[in-house]
Every structure is written in structure tokens, then in C-alpha cells.
């Protein structure tokens, strides 16, 4: 049964963040609010939790998971970033974007796309997500909390509990945070390629 924790959307309570980080270190899957929608999140090093997330979302290994990080410096740790890519990232983070980038050797091979060796990376602009990353002091492996067959992500804590009570350990409920997913942009080619239009504006990439 999932534990539901009511957390302040702008000033998250430190004791609740400490508890959430401990849950994650112990193998939990957590519903986390972000600046686009709720996300399913787990520890980067936890293969069992990652496999459970893929099962909930019914995603195979070719579907990119997203590494959620605190800031631009962490993106450079986990992905290969050239000068042009860095400038784009600096202009658009934090924000409602996922960037497909070539993963670095810091990442376990199992979290990368099996053929392309790429990963999704993002820096959220939501106080709860950022505070949790700060408390955890390492990235989170995440994916949008949108269930198979649904047209939009789940955005209410009670709804997440109702649908996933037996499959999650913790729900950080900060109230509705939106149902429009991130904009996904592939930066591995000679020019940015739009993978999914979402909440993040396209203008910075010349894609509008």
C-alpha cells in the first residue's frame, strides 16, 4: 500500500524530504510532482525498481527513461555534451524539457537505449522535485506518470493512490501540477529533433 504524504508545493517540509529520500534509497517507487506532471521515480542504481516502473508503464527497453538532475553541471556528468548542446541546455534549464543525449560512462548500461546508448535528461523547475534531488544528493530515474491507455498523466494524489496503491511505496502529494508532459528534444544529431511536443516552448530550438 502506498503511503501518501501531503507536501507543500513551494516550501516542502525538510523532514518529509528526508523520509522520501530514505524510501528511495531502500528501493521504493515514488510519485513525484514536477513542473509538467507527476513522475514515477526510483533510485538510479536500483534495477528492480526500474523494472517495476517499466512494468507499470508497459515500456520496453527501447523507451527512454529520464534521468532527473539538479542542474546543468550534473547533466554534463551523465551525458556527453558539446559546446552547441551546452548552450541550448543553459538557455532552457530548468524547465519542462527532456533532452535525449549520449550517455556517459557514469551511467549503468541498463538505463541506456540498448542500441543508441542514449538517455533522457532533465532539470525540473518544481520546488519539491528539486528539493528531493538536493536531499538525495544524486539523480533520480524517472518517467511520466501516464498509465497505458490513458490520454493524460495522473495529476491528483488520490487518483494516483486509487490506480497504483499496490505498485508504489510513496506518493508526494503537492496538489495538481499539470497534465501536459515535457517537450522531448533529441540533441544527438546535427540539429535538434522534436520527439514530443509538450509544455516546453519550441522556439529556443528553432522548431516552432
Amino acid at each position: 500500500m502506498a503511503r501518501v504524504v501531503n507536501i507543500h508545493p513551494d516550501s516542502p517540509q525538510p523532514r518529509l524530504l528526508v523520509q522520501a529520500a530514505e524510501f528511495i534509497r531502500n528501493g521504493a517507487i515514488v510519485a513525484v510532482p514536477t513542473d509538467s506532471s507527476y513522475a514515477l521515480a526510483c533510485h538510479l542504481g536500483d534495477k528492480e525498481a526500474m523494472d517495476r516502473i517499466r512494468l507499470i508503464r508497459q515500456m520496453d527497453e527501447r523507451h527512454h527513461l529520464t534521468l532527473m538532475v539538479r542542474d546543468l553541471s550534473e547533466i554534463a556528468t551523465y551525458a556527453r555534451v558539446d559546446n552547441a548542446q551546452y548552450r541550448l541546455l543553459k538557455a532552457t534549464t530548468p524547465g519542462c524539457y527532456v533532452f535525449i543525449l549520449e550517455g556517459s560512462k557514469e551511467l549503468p548500461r541498463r538505463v541506456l537505449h540498448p542500441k543508441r546508448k542514449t538517455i533522457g535528461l532533465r532539470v525540473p523547475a518544481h520546488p519539491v522535485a528539486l528539493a528531493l534531488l538536493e536531499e538525495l544528493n544524486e539523480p533520480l530515474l524517472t518517467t511520466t506518470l501516464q498509465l497505458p491507455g490513458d490520454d493524460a498523466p495522473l495529476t491528483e494524489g488520490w487518483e494516483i493512490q486509487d490506480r497504483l496503491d499496490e505498485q508504489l511505496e510513496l506518493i508526494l502529494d503537492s496538489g495538481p501540477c499539470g497534465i501536459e508532459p515535457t517537450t522531448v528534444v533529441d540533441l544527438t544529431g546535427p540539429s535538434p529533433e522534436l520527439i514530443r511536443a509538450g509544455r516546453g516552448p519550441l522556439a529556443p530550438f528553432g522548431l516552432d
Side-chain angles (χ1 to χ4, degrees), residues 50-59 148 167:
M50 180 194 74
D51 290 342
R52 288 169 56 208
I53 285 178
R54 288 195 180 278
L55 191 62
I56 291 169
R57 286 289 316 274
Q58 294 183 17
M59 302 185 309
Q167 295 168 276

Side-chain angles (χ1 to χ4, degrees), residues 60-80:
D60 64 24
E61 61 182 5
R62 292 166 296 179
H63 187 114
H64 281 101
L65 293 170
T66 297
L67 200 64
M68 189 181 290
V69 299
R70 286 176 287 189
D71 55 37
L72 194 54
S73 66
E74 283 198 316
I75 288 182
T77 300
Y78 295 101
R80 300 179 186 277

